Amino acid sequence: MDIPAIGDAEELSCDVLVIGGGTAGTMAALTAAEHGARVLLLEKAHVRHSGALAMGMDGVNNAVVPGRAEPDDYVAEITRANDGVVDQSTVRQTATRGFAMVQRLESYGVKFEKDEHGEYAVRQVHRSGSYVLPMPEGKDVKKVLYRQLRRREMRERIRIENRVMPVRVLTSPEDGRAIGAAGFNTRTGAFVTVRAGAVILATGPCGRLGLPASGYLYGTYENPTNAGDGYAMAYHAGAALTGIECFQINPLIKDYNGPACAYVANPFGGYQVNRHGERFVDSDYWSGQMMAEFAAELGSDRGPVYLKLSHLPEESVASLESILHTTERPTRGTFHAGRGHDYRTHDIEMHISEIGLCGGHSASGVRVDDHARTTVPRLYAAGDLASVPHNYMIGAFVFGDLAGADAAGHTAYEGELPAGQVAAAHELIYRPLRNPQGPPQPQVEYKLRRFVNDYVAPPKTGAKLSLAVAAFDRMTGEIAEMGATTAHELMRCAEVSFIRDCAEMAARSSLARTESRWGLYHERLDHPERDDTGWLHHLDLRKSASGAMEFTARPVEPYLVPVDGFAPAGGPSRHLGEVDLVPVATAGARQSPPAARTQGPGAPGPAGAAAAAAAADTGPAGAGDASPRILELLALAEESPGLDLLHPYLDDSDPAVRAAAVAALGETVPAGAGPALAGRLADAAPAVRAAAAAALRELLEVLPGGPELAAGLRAALAVPDAVVRSAALEALRALRLGDAELYAASLADADPEVRIHAVRALVSVDAVPALAAAAADPAREVRVAVAKGLAAVRDPAPAPLDPLLGDADPLVRGAALGALASVGCPEGYARTAVAALADAAWQVRAGAAAGLSAASPESAVPALAKALADANADVRKAAVLSLLAHRRSAEARSALATAVTDPDADVRAYAARA
């Protein structure tokens, strides 16, 4: 198919855009329409058959029916099941509104089991509450909902567009609010844009994250169409997601993608046993802790694990068959029959599902408040996508209803859709068409999800999670190279990009939470204990302005319903920034920097090496053959020729000859060599440019400056080669041929190395305002250079360091703190440095110790004395050096006296100077 032009997009308009036609989406659309809004419902498949609900539903897991359960008891139950990390205000919405939703669904025609007196037949499955309400005809729920959508009064307000898949939520450049979406038709491939007053994401979980044990890409526990679309769209729209490290892992039938349905079987007398027939589950709620017990039993000599039904009477078995083989998974009966299994004679072997992300069954999702609002204005999330722990089907309906009611107050956006965002969505959708012979989506997706299983699935370690992040970064390129020829293949390729985003979120979130919690959902072998003191927090992630994934630890708010064992105090959030990866390139710490590659006798220097590399290129003389012109040049160079004799070789058509001429120029340095080398910085051949840059660097101390050289170097700043631009800046700075305005312009260069040279050049002209502006550079190495540069100007002051002292990166903070030793460390900065001595990163502690050398002894010496006990030798060394600066203080001398026995030789040696 051809790639449609952006200008040919079909543009739709509505007050409320609902993305996803499953459980939450249909309810959101119905409620918004009932409140008078014009609604557009987009579904990448067909609303009649879409979402998890269309696969069948055998019962409600969280029905708080008056007289059978109390809302506060349910809130407490969910709080315990989620190890205390809960926003109770959202859970309470399900608890208090769930029964009215059951009645609303019943008015639509959904059937719930009732007893002989017409009362809801709520069953007790958990040990502390009766919440399970069976649905004998649950297979028809979606049909009932679709019928409601197609009622005439709803059709007048709800426009349904099936086979349209959004890939990005569009946001206003002015205030960041959600204003629409961009996507495409999964049948025709047509590009589609939508302008809306509000957007509701209801795309379900990311069930297609881990790879099922069967190896089938689509053999997942959750509906395999749920590829994390909404997670990725919310993330790229700037919304906060939370609990992504809390995975969904479920018990399921071995070699079958369906649940064992203990919720249904338990009220009939079924239960989970090991191979000896022993009940083993101690956990009271189906949670990560229960899954940990399940996994331990499965991995022991008492495994396998079964759902035991063979002891039940015929009536119970027949009733179970009538439910299990027609609702939750209609293929279930066929599966068992194919293996010759009968519940009367065979118990059901159980296993553990692949990992996934799902608020409805664990806690991971888009952060929402108790009205389904996300952190992006006018963007809502509901259902399994939203982080409302253990929300299940009724919770999805409740939050769909809440989202629809709140969103209905907004009217369609009337401004221009952001062209950049629309173009980015267009590129994401159609790039596989440019590479139709590229790797097919199933192969790339299989590899991606295999990495998820290898590195992200519990039990987790920092090393494996770091390897996962590296793997997912690499796979960004492989995903961009996928090929497609049809609209359906474009849909699958887009889904792979969503899966990759979710995989990275899962890995980085799991790295950031340095404890174990939720049993098997987040088991860290390297942090095996639960830490309520430091981690009774939600872990929020969002996309920063620079495009990085950053984290915030948000304390759990004080509970509405007290729960024994947890006492959240609330308080301010803790910004964590980007997560640090665990070093995995080497086995163990590297004690010294890598040795430089040695050169044998007669090996060429940098310029000669570049020339030799260029000479090896295939040229007119043939691969590997030295051109006769080069032989002539080498002979000429022996005579120390003038520039006029070298010019013909510098302008030769063969790049190998030109590179050799540059090398000769660097060796002979005739008059005019500087401008000639500067001219070669714009050569068409990379090897020639590299040789010229290397020669310039070698000759900076001997080349005379002048207008001609300055002009050549300034022109080189526009050359696309970053090596050239770096060399030009270095030469301009060293030869004093530039000014602050020229150097500041290079702070916008795309290459960090060039920007570092620009920083150094600005230091050379004491351009403090321009340096301070570079403190916001996206590259850590540039910000470190800025910190050091601000300490190196002629008239340094601490104020320009302020943003760097609060930088998210520990290396930047360490450099800024160390710079205080040169710029001065007045009282307020001394307090900052003293506090930084407790930082988790040793580089920050070392920088703080160094910076305190410029503080008053009263502020610095007591803190530095304590730093002498630091576990890191470099921190202790920095503390000793700073104490030496305060040696007039008796307390400093006393502290230094204790350091002369330090196990580190450097620390001992410096302390002995006192």
Side-chain angles (χ1 to χ4, degrees):
M1 59 174 288
D2 294 327
I3 298 176
I6 294 179
D8 293 338
E10 178 185 1
E11 184 173 301
L12 306 174
S13 179
C14 60
D15 298 326
V16 176
L17 170 62
V18 180
I19 300 176
T23 310
T26 52
M27 187 57 68
L30 289 167
T31 298
E34 288 171 358
H35 281 71
R38 292 184 304 113
V39 180
L40 174 62
L41 177 57
L42 300 184
E43 168 56 51
K44 67 181 179 182
H46 194 290
V47 171
R48 183 183 179 94
H49 307 292
S50 63
L53 198 60
M55 300 172 71
M57 187 63 61
D58 49 39
V60 175
N61 298 337
N62 53 349
V64 183
V65 176
R68 299 300 305 272
E70 293 296 324
D72 284 1
D73 292 339
Y74 175 79
V75 171
E77 184 80 2
I78 297 301
T79 302
R80 284 189 290 269
N82 213 52
D83 277 0
V85 182
V86 168
D87 180 353
Q88 285 193 346
S89 66
T90 60
V91 176
R92 190 171 177 80
Q93 289 284 50
T94 299
T96 57
R97 294 171 174 265
F99 180 60
M101 182 57 64
V102 167
Q103 293 179 310
R104 179 176 176 178
L105 292 171
E106 195 171 37
S107 73
Y108 289 168
V110 177
K111 294 182 175 63
F112 299 96
E113 185 174 344
K114 294 184 177 179
D115 62 20
E116 293 80 0
H117 304 286
E119 301 292 332
Y120 295 101
V122 182
R123 308 290 178 86
Q124 182 168 353
V125 174
H126 311 300
R127 298 183 184 124
S128 58
S130 299
Y131 307 113
V132 175
L133 179 58
M135 300 168 64
E137 298 180 35
K139 66 181 184 298
D140 296 327
V141 176
K142 195 62 194 293
K143 183 197 306 182
V144 172
L145 288 171
Y146 187 71
R147 187 167 62 235
Q148 287 297 310
L149 288 170
R150 305 313 295 157
R151 285 167 45 215
R152 184 171 64 180
E153 57 268 36
M154 289 294 103
R155 287 204 307 271
E156 292 173 354
R157 291 201 165 272
I158 300 174
R159 175 178 177 178
I160 298 175
E161 288 291 336
N162 293 308
R163 316 295 183 189
V164 174
M165 177 185 182
V167 298
R168 287 291 185 265
V169 171
L170 303 178
T171 57
S172 167
E174 288 77 28
D175 56 15
R177 75 182 188 272
I179 57 173
F184 70 107
N185 188 293
T186 62
R187 286 294 181 268
T188 67
F191 190 47
V192 178
T193 59
V194 181
R195 58 179 66 245
V199 178
I200 301 174
L201 292 172
T203 57
C206 181
R208 217 161 85 219
L209 184 63
L211 192 66
S214 66
Y216 296 126
L217 283 181
Y218 306 112
T220 52
Y221 179 92
E222 291 288 351
N223 187 329
T225 64
N226 295 140
D229 308 35
Y231 286 76
M233 284 190 279
Y235 173 73
H236 289 291
L241 294 93
T242 191
I244 303 301
E245 72 280 16
C246 181
F247 298 162
Q248 174 186 226
I249 307 171
N250 291 298
L252 76 167
I253 301 172
K254 176 71 173 177
D255 205 31
Y256 178 74
N257 71 322
C261 292
Y263 275 7
V264 176
N266 283 17
F268 285 93
Y271 48 83
Q272 299 77 45
V273 297
N274 59 28
R275 70 183 179 90
H276 301 299
E278 301 162 339
R279 286 189 261 204
F280 59 89
V281 176
D282 290 323
S283 180
D284 186 46
Y285 195 86
W286 204 271
S287 61
Q289 182 56 42
M290 182 178 284
M291 287 308 304
E293 296 176 16
F294 191 102
E297 196 75 3
L298 192 64
S300 74
D301 64 352
R302 298 179 299 278
V305 169
Y306 297 87
L307 175 63
K308 188 168 184 59
L309 302 175
S310 58
H311 67 293
L312 296 177
E314 171 60 28
E315 299 90 315
S316 298
V317 172
S319 296
L320 281 170
E321 285 178 335
S322 69
I323 297 173
L324 296 180
H325 296 179
T326 59
T327 55
E328 183 78 29
R329 296 289 193 277
T331 59
R332 185 192 207 112
T334 304
F335 171 83
H336 290 308
R339 281 158 176 72
H341 291 174
D342 188 300
Y343 295 159
R344 298 158 185 81
T345 56
H346 291 75
D347 296 320
I348 302 172
E349 184 182 356
M350 300 174 70
H351 201 65
I352 291 176
S353 74
E354 69 286 346
I355 66 170
L357 304 178
C358 179
H361 289 84
S362 60
S364 50
V366 179
R367 176 183 167 186
V368 295
D369 66 11
D370 53 8
H371 288 278
R373 306 180 189 113
T374 73
T375 57
V376 170
R378 302 195 187 185
L379 179 64
Y380 300 79
D384 285 341
L385 171 68
S387 180
V388 185
H390 298 279
N391 213 26
Y392 304 112
M393 184 187 78
I394 287 297
F397 279 132
V398 166
F399 272 79
D401 177 54
L402 290 167
D406 201 83
H410 304 294
T411 56
Y413 177 73
E414 295 181 353
E416 288 294 320
L417 296 178
Q421 296 178 38
V422 172
H426 186 275
E427 172 65 16
L428 172 64
I429 294 166
Y430 298 109
R431 66 188 176 191
L433 294 178
R434 300 195 188 98
N435 190 29
Q437 301 305 315
Q441 163 264 330
Q443 292 183 12
V444 177
E445 181 177 335
Y446 186 95
K447 180 179 179 180
L448 170 65
R449 292 168 62 190
R450 191 199 72 211
F451 280 135
V452 171
N453 281 21
D454 289 347
Y455 295 137
V456 185
K460 311 173 187 178
T461 68
K464 289 198 299 182
L465 293 166
S466 298
L467 287 169
V469 171
F472 302 148
D473 283 345
R474 286 196 309 272
M475 289 208 67
T476 302
E478 297 180 41
I479 290 169
E481 294 170 359
M482 284 188 300
T485 58
T486 69
H488 180 80
E489 290 172 348
L490 289 179
M491 175 181 73
R492 293 295 185 226
C493 288
E495 287 176 339
V496 176
S497 75
F498 299 151
I499 296 168
R500 196 222 68 88
D501 287 344
C502 291
E504 182 181 356
M505 292 183 213
R508 289 188 183 273
S509 297
S510 296
L511 266 171
R513 184 177 284 276
T514 51
E515 64 154 359
S516 289
R517 189 175 290 268
W518 306 300
L520 191 62
Y521 295 167
H522 181 66
E523 180 187 357
R524 283 284 297 263
L525 296 179
D526 46 357
H527 296 282
E529 302 299 323
R530 193 177 84 187
D531 176 16
D532 282 345
T533 301
W535 275 111
L536 194 59
H537 289 65
H538 305 274
L539 181 64
D540 294 350
L541 73 85
R542 69 175 69 229
K543 186 177 183 180
S544 71
S546 66
M549 194 175 293
E550 62 179 17
F551 293 86
T552 300
R554 176 170 51 92
V556 172
E557 290 297 315
Y559 293 153
L560 303 173
V561 179
V563 178
D564 290 339
F566 301 99
S573 295
R574 186 170 76 244
H575 182 67
L576 304 178
E578 297 178 44
V579 67
D580 291 327
L581 304 185
V582 174
V584 292
T586 60
R590 189 170 61 210
Q591 300 301 323
S592 60
R597 180 177 297 169
T598 58
Q599 294 180 339
D617 290 346
T618 300
D625 295 333
S627 167
R629 293 276 289 167
I630 293 177
L631 297 178
E632 293 174 11
L633 176 62
L634 293 175
L636 179 63
E638 294 296 322
E639 306 298 327
S640 297
L643 188 59
D644 57 332
L645 295 178
L646 291 174
H647 264 309
Y649 299 94
L650 289 170
D651 296 329
D652 195 276
S653 61
D654 185 348
V657 175
R658 298 199 302 276
V662 167
L665 195 62
E667 292 172 6
T668 59
V669 199
L677 288 172
R680 286 299 110 195
L681 290 175
D683 195 280
V688 179
R689 298 196 301 271
L696 269 173
R697 286 191 164 107
E698 286 182 9
L699 301 175
L700 284 178
E701 300 300 323
V702 298
L703 287 177
E708 189 179 0
L709 177 56
L713 293 173
R714 287 171 178 258
L717 293 177
V719 173
D721 191 333
V723 172
V724 168
R725 300 195 301 277
S726 294
L729 279 170
E730 185 174 349
L732 286 164
R733 173 186 58 80
L735 298 172
R736 304 293 178 184
L737 297 175
D739 54 40
E741 183 179 2
L742 176 70
Y743 299 148
S746 289
L747 290 175
D749 196 280
D751 188 85
E753 188 66 25
V754 176
R755 301 201 298 276
I756 289 173
H757 281 286
V759 167
R760 297 187 63 202
L762 287 167
V763 173
S764 72
V765 294
D766 297 310
V768 173
L771 278 173
D777 193 279
R780 175 179 70 188
E781 57 267 38
V782 178
R783 301 198 301 278
V784 169
V786 171
K788 294 178 178 178
L790 287 169
V793 296
R794 286 193 181 91
D795 188 19
L801 289 168
D802 287 349
L804 299 168
L805 290 169
D807 197 277
D809 189 281
L811 294 185
V812 178
R813 295 200 306 279
L817 288 161
L820 293 174
S822 299
V823 306
C825 191
E827 191 56 36
Y829 291 90
R831 288 195 295 270
T832 298
V834 169
L837 287 173
D839 197 278
W842 72 264
Q843 297 93 334
V844 174
R845 303 197 303 276
L852 286 170
S853 67
S856 67
E858 294 77 15
S859 298
V861 172
L864 290 169
K866 292 180 181 178
L868 292 177
D870 197 279
N872 185 278
D874 284 333
V875 176
R876 302 198 302 275
K877 177 179 175 180
V880 164
L881 292 172
S882 288
L883 284 168
L884 285 172
H886 297 292
R887 71 179 74 187
R888 291 184 180 179
S889 161
E891 187 179 356
R893 293 195 300 273
S894 176
L896 286 166
T898 68
V900 296
T901 58
D902 192 277
D904 183 81
D906 258 7
V907 175
R908 293 197 305 270
Y910 283 113
R913 293 184 180 185

